[in-house]
Every structure is written in C-alpha cells, then in structure tokens.
Amino acid sequence: MSPAKKILLLPGDGIGHEVTPAVRKVMDWFQSSGLTNFEITEGLIGGASYDVHGAPLTPETLEQAKSADAILLACIGGPKWDTLPFDVRPERGILGIRKEMNLFANLRPAVVFDALAGASSLKAEIVQGLDIMIVRELIGGLYFGQPRGIEDAPDGRRGFNTMTYSTSEVERIARAAFELARKRKGRLCSVDKANVLESSIVWRETVTALHAAEFSDVELSHMYVDACAMHLARAPRDFDVIVTENMFGDILSDLASTLTGSIGMLPSASFGAADASGRQPAIYEPIHGSAPDIAGKGLANPLAMMLSFSMMMRYSFVMNENANLLESAVQNVLKAGVRTADIVEKGQKSVSTDVMAETVVKELERLAV
Ligand code: IPM
Ligand code: MG
C-alpha cells in the first residue's frame, strides 16, 4: 500500500464536537476494512483554540495544516466568543487559515437529494434534480482588501473596507470555474455588479477575455448579483456553475444551499494552487455553521461532514470507489427514512447524530460485502 495520507481533523466549535466523532466512526470503518491508509491527527481552531491558546489560529495548527495532505474542518464560532475583540474572534481563525494556505477557490455545491426534495422551502417541481456549483473566490475582495479599518470621524466613527480584484486574481478563479464547467454541463455564469463597481468591471472583462482565449467551448453568461439572487430563488435549475467574488459568493451560497432544504447535507471544498509535485492544498468542510442553538444535544446532522470526507477522498486522494461507496451508503440511509431532526419528514422519527453515524457504518458494511 502507498504511504499513509495525512489528514488533519479540525472539529472547531459547537456541533463540530458532535459531527467530528461521527465522521471519525466512518473513517475508522474505512481504516479497519483496509480500504484506506490514513494518518489522522486532530487540531484546534476557532473558539476552541482561543480557549486554550488565546488565539483562534496558532502557528502550531497552521504547521499541522501545511504538512497535512488534506484538512477536514467542521465549523467554528458561537455566542461564547461573540464579544471578543475582532482580531481573536473564531472567524479570524478560518479566514486566517484560508489566507495562509492560499486557498483561493471555494467550491460550494447545492444539490437536492432525491429523497429530500420535499424538504425544500421551494416547491418540489422547482428544485427536483437541482445540481449547481458555486465557485467562490475566497481570499480576495471585500474580505481582505486594503485599506480597511475603523477610524474616528466628526460624527463618531467611520468603518471602511476595500473591494479590489486584479486581473491575475480573477483569472485564476475564473480558470478553475471554466475547467469545472467543462466537466459538468458546460455552462458558466459569472456574477458581478459591473453596473456599479469598478472591481466588477475588471472582473467581467477578465472573465470575458479568458473565455475567448481558452474556453470558448464553455457557454458563458454574466449576471448582476441582485438579479442572480432573484433567479436562484425563482428558477435555480437554470444554473450549472456560478463563479463570483468572495462576499457575493458568501451570500449566494447560503441562499443556494437553503433552497435544497438540506444545509445539513452539503459539503464544500477549498483549493489552492498545486505545487511543483502536483500536491494541492485543500480544506473540506460542511457548509453549515456551528449551530450553537442545538450544540451538545446530539441533534446535529453529521452527513455534510461525512460527504465532505467523501469529497476529500475523491478530489485529494482520487479514491473514487471509496467516495462512491460512502455516497451510496448515505443515499440508502436517507431512502430508508433515517433522518436527523433537520431533515425529518411527516411520519418519520428523527435519530441522533450518533445513531445516524452508526446507521451509515452499518450500511457501508452491508454494501462492502
Ligand atoms: C462561510 C462563513 C465564513 C465566511 C465566516 C465564518 C467567516 O460564513 O464560510 O461562508 O464569511 O466566509
Ligand atoms: Mg457564509
């Protein structure tokens, strides 16, 4: 067997402490059945790191992250840390690791699982079969632009941020999105606000030029972000791949994932550029947050975290059979009506995080023979 793949697990905060042990059960099953050879370590990030070290991201965790082949992160944050100074809030930990690892491409799928079409806030006939991918630029734009800050002003204080995009920043994310569209239905919608923002003018002209130069086989359209939000809520299946800047992507991906009725089901991945040896830094994480309202109650849905692990096996380790196996197990468990509280339907009883994990493991066991 090839050398062990190093995985760093970052449980983070809130329900992270429940969904991580759940995915661990699945990982242990893969390990003990000899299908994988992983070396798994755990680290601290977010509030959990602040409580121990006084910082949401330490050099040690960053070092662990950089030496891992892939990272599986649950979620961060919670009311306990909401009143901390801005620079040590849990969110700074996640933004810091993205920036330090240069993870510029964030892939956020919004998929409606057949068994869950009835759980959407939209009519089933609008969302059935929905399968879109939002490619969000992750380390530029308004989140990181300089100058930024808060200063004194005659009327009190003035807070300011800068939205900036350069040609090369747009090009690398657009290229990732075009390549992905090519592997899917061949359609890319680039979302900006070019009727108002200069950064969007550069965004649009760069995407258009790259399309003409390298990707004319992909069908490209442009949409303003407000129109895109409306279109997503009205006819989401019109989209295949959407590419957009950091903050627009943050907002649109929440909207898109909630349309699926299963935010507790959706994984995501963030990638940096591959190095000379082809090694590409990657963090996989569920789309959901730390859900402080249900944390500690055993109610959390561990499937998004499991599907994030599956995405890791598929994209970082090219273990497609393992990924297929895990995804089939999840599908079957859903079809059998096993649900956590967030996706329970009329007439079904909901199960706990642990029972869901054990059921998936049993199904893996059954499928593997
Ligand atoms: C997300 C989250 C983060 C973001 C927060 C936690 C910093 O909302 O991953 O979408 O805004 O990027
Ligand atoms: Mg968000």
Side-chain angles (χ1 to χ4, degrees), residues 264-266 301-308 330 334 340 343 356 360:
M265 300 286 307
L266 298 175
N301 185 344
L303 296 180
M305 184 82 170
M306 284 180 204
L307 294 170
S308 301
V330 168
L334 288 175
T340 42
I343 49 174
M356 180 57 99
V360 171

Side-chain angles (χ1 to χ4, degrees), residues 98 108 136 143 249-251 253-254 287:
R98 286 172 182 170
R108 299 193 163 186
R136 168 187 178 195
Y143 273 52
D250 179 46
I251 298 168
S253 63
D254 263 31
I287 283 185

Side-chain angles (χ1 to χ4, degrees), residues 1 22 70 82 116 133 147 280 340:
M1 203 179 238
D82 276 352
L116 296 181
M133 179 71 88
Q280 189 173 31
T340 42

Side-chain angles (χ1 to χ4, degrees), residues 29-51:
W29 181 83
F30 274 96
Q31 292 284 80
S32 62
S33 39
L35 292 172
T36 56
N37 181 16
F38 294 138
E39 191 185 305
I40 303 163
T41 51
E42 289 200 17
L44 295 173
I45 195 165
S49 173
Y50 176 82
D51 287 347

Side-chain angles (χ1 to χ4, degrees), residues 80-161:
K80 182 177 170 196
W81 305 282
D82 276 352
T83 50
L84 288 177
F86 195 62
D87 59 329
V88 289
R89 296 261 300 257
E91 290 78 6
R92 302 316 298 174
I94 216 163
L95 295 170
I97 200 169
R98 286 172 182 170
K99 189 72 171 176
E100 288 291 332
M101 296 188 69
N102 204 25
L103 304 175
F104 64 87
N106 181 215
L107 274 49
R108 299 193 163 186
V111 175
V112 168
F113 294 80
D114 283 345
L116 296 181
S120 171
S121 52
L122 296 191
K123 297 187 191 85
E125 66 260 31
I126 307 261
V127 295
Q128 202 115 48
L130 178 72
D131 177 5
I132 60 188
M133 179 71 88
I134 296 187
V135 179
R136 168 187 178 195
E137 200 290 325
L138 203 57
I139 53 172
L142 211 42
Y143 273 52
F144 292 95
Q146 295 289 346
R148 63 185 296 163
I150 300 179
E151 62 186 20
D152 292 332
D155 60 342
R157 301 212 295 163
R158 190 178 82 92
F160 55 99
N161 295 87

